[in-house]
Short mmCIF file of all heavy atoms in Angstrom, two decimals:
data_model
loop_
_atom_site.label_atom_id
_atom_site.label_comp_id
_atom_site.label_asym_id
_atom_site.label_seq_id
_atom_site.Cartn_x
_atom_site.Cartn_y
_atom_site.Cartn_z
N GLY A 84 -0.76 -0.29 7.92
CA GLY A 84 -1.30 0.48 6.84
C GLY A 84 -0.34 0.92 5.76
O GLY A 84 -0.70 1.85 5.02
N LYS A 85 0.78 0.22 5.68
CA LYS A 85 1.78 0.71 4.69
C LYS A 85 1.25 0.47 3.28
O LYS A 85 1.39 1.38 2.41
CB LYS A 85 3.07 -0.12 4.89
CG LYS A 85 3.73 0.13 6.25
CD LYS A 85 5.00 -0.72 6.39
CE LYS A 85 4.72 -2.22 6.32
NZ LYS A 85 3.80 -2.68 7.38
N THR A 86 0.79 -0.73 2.95
CA THR A 86 0.34 -1.01 1.63
C THR A 86 -0.85 -0.19 1.26
O THR A 86 -0.96 0.38 0.10
CB THR A 86 -0.04 -2.52 1.48
OG1 THR A 86 1.16 -3.28 1.69
CG2 THR A 86 -0.56 -2.82 0.06
N THR A 87 -1.77 0.08 2.16
CA THR A 87 -2.93 0.91 1.92
C THR A 87 -2.40 2.36 1.56
O THR A 87 -3.01 2.96 0.62
CB THR A 87 -3.86 0.96 3.12
OG1 THR A 87 -4.34 -0.39 3.37
CG2 THR A 87 -5.06 1.83 2.87
N ALA A 88 -1.53 2.81 2.31
CA ALA A 88 -0.98 4.17 2.06
C ALA A 88 -0.36 4.24 0.65
O ALA A 88 -0.51 5.21 -0.09
CB ALA A 88 0.03 4.58 3.15
N LEU A 89 0.43 3.22 0.34
CA LEU A 89 1.08 3.12 -0.99
C LEU A 89 0.05 3.14 -2.10
O LEU A 89 0.20 3.82 -3.10
CB LEU A 89 1.92 1.89 -1.07
CG LEU A 89 3.37 2.07 -1.54
CD1 LEU A 89 4.13 3.02 -0.59
CD2 LEU A 89 4.09 0.72 -1.63
N LEU A 90 -0.95 2.30 -1.94
CA LEU A 90 -2.06 2.17 -2.94
C LEU A 90 -2.74 3.55 -3.13
O LEU A 90 -3.02 3.96 -4.26
CB LEU A 90 -3.06 1.12 -2.57
CG LEU A 90 -2.61 -0.30 -2.73
CD1 LEU A 90 -3.59 -1.25 -2.02
CD2 LEU A 90 -2.53 -0.71 -4.21
N ASN A 91 -3.03 4.24 -2.03
CA ASN A 91 -3.74 5.46 -2.10
C ASN A 91 -2.92 6.54 -2.82
O ASN A 91 -3.39 7.23 -3.70
CB ASN A 91 -4.11 5.92 -0.70
CG ASN A 91 -4.88 7.23 -0.69
OD1 ASN A 91 -4.32 8.30 -0.59
ND2 ASN A 91 -6.23 7.09 -0.75
N VAL A 92 -1.61 6.67 -2.45
CA VAL A 92 -0.78 7.63 -3.04
C VAL A 92 -0.54 7.31 -4.55
O VAL A 92 -0.54 8.19 -5.42
CB VAL A 92 0.58 7.75 -2.32
CG1 VAL A 92 1.58 8.65 -3.10
CG2 VAL A 92 0.31 8.27 -0.93
N GLY A 93 -0.35 6.00 -4.84
CA GLY A 93 -0.18 5.59 -6.22
C GLY A 93 -1.35 5.91 -7.09
O GLY A 93 -1.23 6.43 -8.22
N ARG A 94 -2.56 5.66 -6.55
CA ARG A 94 -3.76 5.98 -7.34
C ARG A 94 -3.89 7.44 -7.59
O ARG A 94 -4.25 7.90 -8.67
CB ARG A 94 -4.98 5.41 -6.58
CG ARG A 94 -6.29 5.89 -7.19
CD ARG A 94 -7.47 5.59 -6.28
NE ARG A 94 -8.01 4.30 -6.50
CZ ARG A 94 -8.60 3.54 -5.58
NH1 ARG A 94 -8.58 3.98 -4.31
NH2 ARG A 94 -9.06 2.37 -5.88
N THR A 95 -3.62 8.29 -6.50
CA THR A 95 -3.70 9.73 -6.68
C THR A 95 -2.75 10.23 -7.73
O THR A 95 -3.11 11.05 -8.56
CB THR A 95 -3.43 10.41 -5.34
OG1 THR A 95 -4.36 9.95 -4.33
CG2 THR A 95 -3.52 11.91 -5.41
N CYS A 96 -1.49 9.78 -7.72
CA CYS A 96 -0.51 10.16 -8.72
C CYS A 96 -0.95 9.71 -10.12
O CYS A 96 -0.78 10.49 -11.08
CB CYS A 96 0.87 9.59 -8.39
SG CYS A 96 1.63 10.29 -6.90
N HIS A 97 -1.43 8.52 -10.17
CA HIS A 97 -1.86 7.97 -11.49
C HIS A 97 -2.95 8.82 -12.14
O HIS A 97 -2.90 9.26 -13.22
CB HIS A 97 -2.41 6.54 -11.26
CG HIS A 97 -2.89 5.86 -12.47
ND1 HIS A 97 -2.25 4.82 -13.09
CD2 HIS A 97 -3.97 6.08 -13.27
CE1 HIS A 97 -2.89 4.45 -14.18
NE2 HIS A 97 -3.95 5.14 -14.27
N LEU A 98 -4.02 9.12 -11.31
CA LEU A 98 -5.15 9.90 -11.83
C LEU A 98 -4.73 11.32 -12.19
O LEU A 98 -5.15 11.91 -13.19
CB LEU A 98 -6.27 9.92 -10.83
CG LEU A 98 -6.93 8.53 -10.53
CD1 LEU A 98 -7.96 8.64 -9.45
CD2 LEU A 98 -7.49 7.93 -11.83
N ALA A 99 -3.86 11.91 -11.34
CA ALA A 99 -3.43 13.32 -11.60
C ALA A 99 -2.61 13.39 -12.88
O ALA A 99 -2.78 14.30 -13.72
CB ALA A 99 -2.55 13.83 -10.46
N HIS A 100 -1.76 12.35 -13.08
CA HIS A 100 -0.90 12.40 -14.32
C HIS A 100 -1.72 12.09 -15.53
O HIS A 100 -1.53 12.74 -16.61
CB HIS A 100 0.21 11.37 -14.12
CG HIS A 100 1.26 11.47 -15.22
ND1 HIS A 100 2.18 12.51 -15.23
CD2 HIS A 100 1.47 10.76 -16.34
CE1 HIS A 100 2.97 12.34 -16.25
NE2 HIS A 100 2.55 11.32 -16.97
N THR A 101 -2.65 11.18 -15.48
CA THR A 101 -3.46 10.89 -16.66
C THR A 101 -4.37 12.02 -17.11
O THR A 101 -4.70 12.23 -18.25
CB THR A 101 -4.31 9.57 -16.44
OG1 THR A 101 -5.03 9.68 -15.22
CG2 THR A 101 -3.43 8.39 -16.43
N ARG A 102 -4.81 12.84 -16.07
CA ARG A 102 -5.65 13.98 -16.40
C ARG A 102 -4.80 15.05 -17.14
O ARG A 102 -5.31 15.65 -18.05
CB ARG A 102 -6.22 14.61 -15.09
CG ARG A 102 -7.41 13.88 -14.55
CD ARG A 102 -8.11 14.70 -13.49
NE ARG A 102 -7.26 15.01 -12.38
CZ ARG A 102 -7.24 14.23 -11.23
NH1 ARG A 102 -8.01 13.21 -11.18
NH2 ARG A 102 -6.45 14.57 -10.25
N LYS A 103 -3.58 15.15 -16.77
CA LYS A 103 -2.69 16.13 -17.45
C LYS A 103 -2.12 15.60 -18.76
O LYS A 103 -1.81 16.37 -19.66
CB LYS A 103 -1.54 16.56 -16.51
CG LYS A 103 -1.93 17.28 -15.24
CD LYS A 103 -0.72 17.65 -14.39
CE LYS A 103 -1.16 18.37 -13.12
NZ LYS A 103 0.02 18.63 -12.26
N ASN A 104 -1.98 14.31 -18.84
CA ASN A 104 -1.34 13.68 -20.02
C ASN A 104 -2.18 12.53 -20.53
O ASN A 104 -1.78 11.36 -20.41
CB ASN A 104 0.09 13.16 -19.66
CG ASN A 104 0.93 14.26 -19.08
OD1 ASN A 104 1.57 15.03 -19.80
ND2 ASN A 104 0.98 14.34 -17.76
N PRO A 105 -3.29 12.80 -21.14
CA PRO A 105 -4.10 11.68 -21.61
C PRO A 105 -3.43 11.02 -22.79
O PRO A 105 -2.81 11.64 -23.62
CB PRO A 105 -5.42 12.43 -22.16
CG PRO A 105 -4.95 13.80 -22.39
CD PRO A 105 -3.91 14.14 -21.35
N PRO A 106 -3.42 9.64 -22.83
CA PRO A 106 -2.75 8.92 -23.90
C PRO A 106 -3.45 9.13 -25.23
O PRO A 106 -4.65 9.29 -25.28
CB PRO A 106 -2.80 7.47 -23.48
CG PRO A 106 -4.01 7.47 -22.55
CD PRO A 106 -4.10 8.74 -21.89
N PRO A 107 -2.67 9.17 -26.31
CA PRO A 107 -3.31 9.24 -27.68
C PRO A 107 -4.21 8.08 -27.94
O PRO A 107 -4.06 7.02 -27.34
CB PRO A 107 -2.07 9.28 -28.63
CG PRO A 107 -0.89 9.56 -27.78
CD PRO A 107 -1.24 9.10 -26.37
N PRO A 108 -5.25 8.25 -28.81
CA PRO A 108 -6.18 7.18 -29.08
C PRO A 108 -5.43 5.90 -29.62
O PRO A 108 -4.58 6.03 -30.43
CB PRO A 108 -7.05 7.73 -30.18
CG PRO A 108 -6.99 9.21 -29.94
CD PRO A 108 -5.58 9.51 -29.46
N GLY A 109 -5.74 4.77 -29.08
CA GLY A 109 -5.18 3.53 -29.53
C GLY A 109 -3.81 3.15 -28.92
O GLY A 109 -3.29 2.11 -29.22
N GLN A 110 -3.31 3.99 -28.04
CA GLN A 110 -2.00 3.72 -27.42
C GLN A 110 -2.16 2.73 -26.25
O GLN A 110 -2.98 2.87 -25.39
CB GLN A 110 -1.38 4.97 -26.92
CG GLN A 110 -0.04 4.74 -26.20
CD GLN A 110 0.64 6.06 -25.82
OE1 GLN A 110 0.86 6.91 -26.71
NE2 GLN A 110 0.87 6.22 -24.56
N ARG A 111 -1.36 1.69 -26.28
CA ARG A 111 -1.43 0.61 -25.20
C ARG A 111 -0.61 0.95 -24.01
O ARG A 111 -0.97 0.68 -22.91
CB ARG A 111 -0.97 -0.74 -25.79
CG ARG A 111 -1.96 -1.36 -26.79
CD ARG A 111 -1.49 -2.74 -27.23
NE ARG A 111 -1.51 -3.70 -26.10
CZ ARG A 111 -0.47 -4.14 -25.50
NH1 ARG A 111 0.75 -3.75 -25.88
NH2 ARG A 111 -0.60 -4.98 -24.53
N THR A 112 0.59 1.45 -24.22
CA THR A 112 1.52 1.68 -23.08
C THR A 112 1.06 2.93 -22.36
O THR A 112 0.61 3.87 -22.96
CB THR A 112 2.99 1.83 -23.57
OG1 THR A 112 3.01 2.82 -24.61
CG2 THR A 112 3.48 0.56 -24.10
N PRO A 113 1.24 2.94 -21.04
CA PRO A 113 0.69 4.03 -20.29
C PRO A 113 1.62 5.26 -20.24
O PRO A 113 2.80 5.15 -20.31
CB PRO A 113 0.62 3.41 -18.85
CG PRO A 113 1.74 2.43 -18.85
CD PRO A 113 1.81 1.87 -20.24
N GLN A 114 0.99 6.44 -20.23
CA GLN A 114 1.71 7.66 -19.95
C GLN A 114 1.39 8.12 -18.55
O GLN A 114 0.86 9.18 -18.32
CB GLN A 114 1.28 8.72 -20.98
CG GLN A 114 1.60 8.37 -22.44
CD GLN A 114 3.10 8.53 -22.70
OE1 GLN A 114 3.79 9.27 -21.99
NE2 GLN A 114 3.57 7.82 -23.70
N CYS A 115 1.76 7.26 -17.61
CA CYS A 115 1.36 7.61 -16.21
C CYS A 115 2.25 6.80 -15.23
O CYS A 115 2.99 5.87 -15.70
CB CYS A 115 -0.07 7.23 -16.01
SG CYS A 115 -0.42 5.49 -16.32
N PRO A 116 2.14 7.08 -13.96
CA PRO A 116 2.94 6.32 -12.94
C PRO A 116 2.54 4.84 -12.97
O PRO A 116 1.49 4.46 -13.29
CB PRO A 116 2.63 7.00 -11.66
CG PRO A 116 2.14 8.34 -12.03
CD PRO A 116 1.45 8.21 -13.34
N SER A 117 3.47 4.04 -12.48
CA SER A 117 3.20 2.59 -12.42
C SER A 117 3.44 2.08 -10.96
O SER A 117 4.03 2.82 -10.17
CB SER A 117 4.13 1.81 -13.37
OG SER A 117 5.44 1.88 -12.90
N ARG A 118 3.04 0.86 -10.73
CA ARG A 118 3.23 0.28 -9.41
C ARG A 118 3.59 -1.14 -9.56
O ARG A 118 3.12 -1.76 -10.46
CB ARG A 118 1.98 0.44 -8.54
CG ARG A 118 2.11 -0.15 -7.17
CD ARG A 118 0.89 0.14 -6.40
NE ARG A 118 1.01 -0.30 -5.01
CZ ARG A 118 0.74 -1.47 -4.52
NH1 ARG A 118 0.30 -2.43 -5.29
NH2 ARG A 118 0.91 -1.73 -3.23
N MET A 119 4.55 -1.69 -8.71
CA MET A 119 4.94 -3.04 -8.88
C MET A 119 4.97 -3.69 -7.49
O MET A 119 5.16 -3.02 -6.48
CB MET A 119 6.32 -3.16 -9.48
CG MET A 119 6.38 -2.68 -10.92
SD MET A 119 7.86 -3.02 -11.76
CE MET A 119 7.88 -4.83 -11.67
N PHE A 120 4.79 -4.97 -7.44
CA PHE A 120 4.86 -5.75 -6.16
C PHE A 120 5.80 -6.94 -6.35
O PHE A 120 5.92 -7.51 -7.38
CB PHE A 120 3.44 -6.29 -5.84
CG PHE A 120 2.56 -5.32 -5.18
CD1 PHE A 120 1.69 -4.62 -5.86
CD2 PHE A 120 2.61 -5.21 -3.79
CE1 PHE A 120 0.81 -3.76 -5.22
CE2 PHE A 120 1.72 -4.36 -3.16
CZ PHE A 120 0.79 -3.62 -3.91
N TRP A 121 6.42 -7.33 -5.22
CA TRP A 121 7.05 -8.66 -5.09
C TRP A 121 6.18 -9.38 -3.99
O TRP A 121 6.27 -8.98 -2.87
CB TRP A 121 8.52 -8.58 -4.70
CG TRP A 121 9.41 -8.55 -5.87
CD1 TRP A 121 9.88 -9.58 -6.58
CD2 TRP A 121 9.96 -7.38 -6.47
NE1 TRP A 121 10.69 -9.17 -7.62
CE2 TRP A 121 10.76 -7.80 -7.54
CE3 TRP A 121 9.84 -6.01 -6.21
CZ2 TRP A 121 11.39 -6.90 -8.41
CZ3 TRP A 121 10.52 -5.12 -7.03
CH2 TRP A 121 11.29 -5.62 -8.12
N SER A 122 5.44 -10.32 -4.39
CA SER A 122 4.49 -10.92 -3.43
C SER A 122 5.14 -11.92 -2.52
O SER A 122 4.64 -12.32 -1.54
CB SER A 122 3.34 -11.60 -4.15
OG SER A 122 3.80 -12.57 -5.04
N ARG A 123 6.39 -12.41 -2.95
CA ARG A 123 7.07 -13.38 -2.09
C ARG A 123 8.59 -13.30 -2.42
O ARG A 123 8.92 -12.77 -3.49
CB ARG A 123 6.57 -14.78 -2.39
CG ARG A 123 6.75 -15.24 -3.80
CD ARG A 123 6.09 -16.60 -4.07
NE ARG A 123 4.72 -16.58 -3.81
CZ ARG A 123 3.75 -16.21 -4.65
NH1 ARG A 123 4.11 -15.86 -5.86
NH2 ARG A 123 2.50 -16.24 -4.37
N PRO A 124 9.44 -13.81 -1.57
CA PRO A 124 10.88 -13.81 -1.85
C PRO A 124 11.19 -14.54 -3.17
O PRO A 124 10.55 -15.57 -3.41
CB PRO A 124 11.47 -14.45 -0.67
CG PRO A 124 10.48 -14.41 0.40
CD PRO A 124 9.16 -14.48 -0.28
N ALA A 125 12.09 -13.99 -3.95
CA ALA A 125 12.43 -14.68 -5.16
C ALA A 125 13.24 -15.91 -4.87
O ALA A 125 14.10 -15.90 -3.99
CB ALA A 125 13.28 -13.72 -6.05
N ARG A 126 12.94 -16.96 -5.61
CA ARG A 126 13.69 -18.24 -5.35
C ARG A 126 15.07 -18.12 -6.05
O ARG A 126 15.17 -17.59 -7.10
CB ARG A 126 12.92 -19.42 -5.94
CG ARG A 126 11.63 -19.67 -5.14
CD ARG A 126 10.89 -20.87 -5.69
NE ARG A 126 9.64 -21.06 -4.96
CZ ARG A 126 8.76 -22.05 -5.30
NH1 ARG A 126 9.00 -22.84 -6.34
NH2 ARG A 126 7.69 -22.23 -4.58
N PRO A 127 16.08 -18.64 -5.45
CA PRO A 127 17.41 -18.60 -6.09
C PRO A 127 17.35 -19.34 -7.49
O PRO A 127 16.76 -20.39 -7.59
CB PRO A 127 18.32 -19.39 -5.13
CG PRO A 127 17.56 -19.29 -3.80
CD PRO A 127 16.16 -19.28 -4.12
N ARG A 128 18.02 -18.73 -8.39
CA ARG A 128 18.09 -19.34 -9.74
C ARG A 128 19.33 -20.26 -9.83
O ARG A 128 20.30 -20.11 -9.07
CB ARG A 128 18.23 -18.21 -10.80
CG ARG A 128 17.01 -17.30 -10.86
CD ARG A 128 16.05 -17.88 -11.81
NE ARG A 128 14.89 -16.97 -11.96
CZ ARG A 128 14.00 -17.07 -12.95
NH1 ARG A 128 14.14 -18.07 -13.82
NH2 ARG A 128 13.03 -16.22 -13.06
N LYS A 129 19.25 -21.20 -10.73
CA LYS A 129 20.40 -22.03 -11.00
C LYS A 129 21.49 -21.15 -11.61
O LYS A 129 21.25 -20.23 -12.35
CB LYS A 129 20.01 -23.20 -11.92
CG LYS A 129 19.00 -24.14 -11.25
CD LYS A 129 18.65 -25.27 -12.22
CE LYS A 129 17.64 -26.24 -11.60
NZ LYS A 129 17.29 -27.34 -12.54
N PRO A 130 22.80 -21.53 -11.37
CA PRO A 130 23.86 -20.76 -11.96
C PRO A 130 23.73 -20.63 -13.54
O PRO A 130 24.23 -19.63 -14.08
CB PRO A 130 25.10 -21.53 -11.60
CG PRO A 130 24.69 -22.30 -10.39
CD PRO A 130 23.27 -22.62 -10.56
N SER A 131 23.12 -21.55 -14.20
CA SER A 131 23.02 -21.50 -15.63
C SER A 131 21.96 -20.50 -16.08
O SER A 131 21.95 -20.14 -17.26
CB SER A 131 22.65 -22.88 -16.18
OG SER A 131 21.39 -23.26 -15.64
N SER A 132 21.12 -19.99 -15.22
CA SER A 132 20.08 -19.04 -15.61
C SER A 132 20.65 -17.65 -15.41
O SER A 132 20.98 -17.24 -14.33
CB SER A 132 18.81 -19.20 -14.72
OG SER A 132 17.91 -18.25 -15.05
N PRO A 133 20.75 -16.86 -16.49
CA PRO A 133 21.33 -15.53 -16.44
C PRO A 133 20.42 -14.44 -15.95
O PRO A 133 20.86 -13.33 -15.66
CB PRO A 133 21.73 -15.27 -17.86
CG PRO A 133 20.70 -15.96 -18.67
CD PRO A 133 20.32 -17.17 -17.91
N ASN A 134 19.15 -14.69 -15.80
CA ASN A 134 18.14 -13.67 -15.60
C ASN A 134 17.66 -13.59 -14.13
O ASN A 134 17.33 -14.61 -13.58
CB ASN A 134 16.95 -13.82 -16.51
CG ASN A 134 17.32 -13.71 -18.02
OD1 ASN A 134 18.26 -12.98 -18.34
ND2 ASN A 134 16.63 -14.46 -18.81
N SER A 135 17.63 -12.40 -13.59
CA SER A 135 17.07 -12.21 -12.28
C SER A 135 15.59 -12.25 -12.36
O SER A 135 14.99 -11.68 -13.33
CB SER A 135 17.51 -10.81 -11.72
OG SER A 135 16.67 -10.45 -10.66
N PRO A 136 14.86 -12.88 -11.39
CA PRO A 136 13.40 -12.83 -11.40
C PRO A 136 12.81 -11.41 -11.44
O PRO A 136 11.78 -11.17 -12.08
CB PRO A 136 13.01 -13.55 -10.12
CG PRO A 136 14.21 -14.38 -9.77
CD PRO A 136 15.41 -13.65 -10.27
N ALA A 137 13.53 -10.48 -10.82
CA ALA A 137 13.06 -9.13 -10.82
C ALA A 137 13.09 -8.48 -12.21
O ALA A 137 12.22 -7.65 -12.51
CB ALA A 137 13.91 -8.23 -9.85
N THR A 138 14.05 -8.87 -13.02
CA THR A 138 14.12 -8.30 -14.38
C THR A 138 12.91 -8.67 -15.21
O THR A 138 12.29 -7.85 -15.86
CB THR A 138 15.36 -8.84 -15.12
OG1 THR A 138 16.53 -8.83 -14.22
CG2 THR A 138 15.67 -8.01 -16.31
N THR A 139 12.51 -9.96 -15.13
CA THR A 139 11.33 -10.36 -15.87
C THR A 139 10.05 -9.84 -15.25
O THR A 139 9.09 -9.63 -15.99
CB THR A 139 11.23 -11.89 -15.88
OG1 THR A 139 11.30 -12.42 -14.53
CG2 THR A 139 12.42 -12.53 -16.69
N GLU A 140 10.05 -9.51 -13.98
CA GLU A 140 8.87 -8.94 -13.32
C GLU A 140 8.65 -7.52 -13.86
O GLU A 140 7.55 -7.12 -14.18
CB GLU A 140 9.05 -8.83 -11.81
CG GLU A 140 7.90 -8.36 -11.04
CD GLU A 140 6.72 -9.37 -10.99
OE1 GLU A 140 6.93 -10.48 -11.41
OE2 GLU A 140 5.66 -8.96 -10.57
#
Side-chain angles (χ1 to χ4, degrees):
K85 299 179 297 301
T86 298
T87 299
L89 229 62
L90 285 167
N91 182 270
V92 172
R94 172 191 271 149
T95 301
C96 291
H97 180 109
L98 295 177
H100 190 76
T101 51
R102 282 194 297 267
K103 294 180 181 178
N104 304 274
Q110 178 174 300
R111 288 185 67 252
T112 52
Q114 295 287 338
C115 58
S117 69
R118 181 175 188 270
M119 296 190 61
F120 277 95
W121 270 275
S122 59
R123 60 184 60 87
R126 294 180 180 178
R128 296 273 186 164
K129 296 179 180 179
S131 59
S132 177
N134 298 328
S135 163
T138 316
T139 54
E140 185 74 8

